[in-house]
Amino acid sequence: MNQRNKLERLCRYITRPAIADERLARNKDGQIVLTLKTPYRDGTTHIALSPLEFMQRLAALVPRPRPNLIRFHGVLAPNAQTAR
């Protein structure tokens, strides 16, 4: 089975950046300006952060290593009682 196109789609998906380059810019003060996809309720369309603050917020999105990212509750939980 030649599924080269599916492999390419997968590779493009896993290598895409967390934020699109078109939404990031630097202002004259050296701050990182993030353009929002949709404006906030108060009308905010851009967020300006210092480079360090931007990296802190971006790093907060990275999950910790090795814990399960999917939690099961109720009847799907690992210790759920089986029906007899």
Side-chain angles (χ1 to χ4, degrees), residues 4-5 9 16 22 32 36 41 46 48-49 54-55 60 68 77 80 82-83:
R4 200 81 179 146
N5 57 349
R9 280 183 58 199
R16 69 183 187 160
E22 298 83 33
I32 307 294
L36 302 173
R41 289 184 192 165
H46 296 74
L49 305 163
F54 175 73
M55 287 190 296
N68 292 333
T82 58

Side-chain angles (χ1 to χ4, degrees), residues 64-68:
R64 300 181 81 175
R66 291 184 284 290
N68 292 333

Side-chain angles (χ1 to χ4, degrees), residues 25-33 48-49:
R26 266 189 183 224
N27 64 12
K28 62 182 178 180
D29 298 329
Q31 293 180 320
I32 307 294
V33 178
L49 305 163

Side-chain angles (χ1 to χ4, degrees), residues 6-84:
K6 290 182 180 182
L7 178 61
E8 182 180 349
R9 280 183 58 199
L10 176 64
C11 290
R12 286 179 187 267
Y13 176 75
I14 62 175
T15 59
R16 69 183 187 160
I19 300 173
D21 291 338
E22 298 83 33
R23 293 179 49 208
L24 291 175
R26 266 189 183 224
N27 64 12
K28 62 182 178 180
D29 298 329
Q31 293 180 320
I32 307 294
V33 178
L34 174 65
T35 305
L36 302 173
K37 286 183 181 178
T38 56
Y40 287 163
R41 289 184 192 165
D42 64 358
T44 304
T45 58
H46 296 74
I47 298 175
L49 305 163
S50 70
L52 182 61
E53 190 177 11
F54 175 73
M55 287 190 296
Q56 288 173 338
R57 288 190 180 203
L58 195 59
L61 299 175
V62 178
R64 300 181 81 175
R66 291 184 284 290
N68 292 333
L69 298 179
I70 299 173
R71 307 280 175 153
F72 294 99
H73 300 281
V75 296
L76 299 176
N79 61 349
Q81 299 294 321
T82 58
R84 295 180 190 206

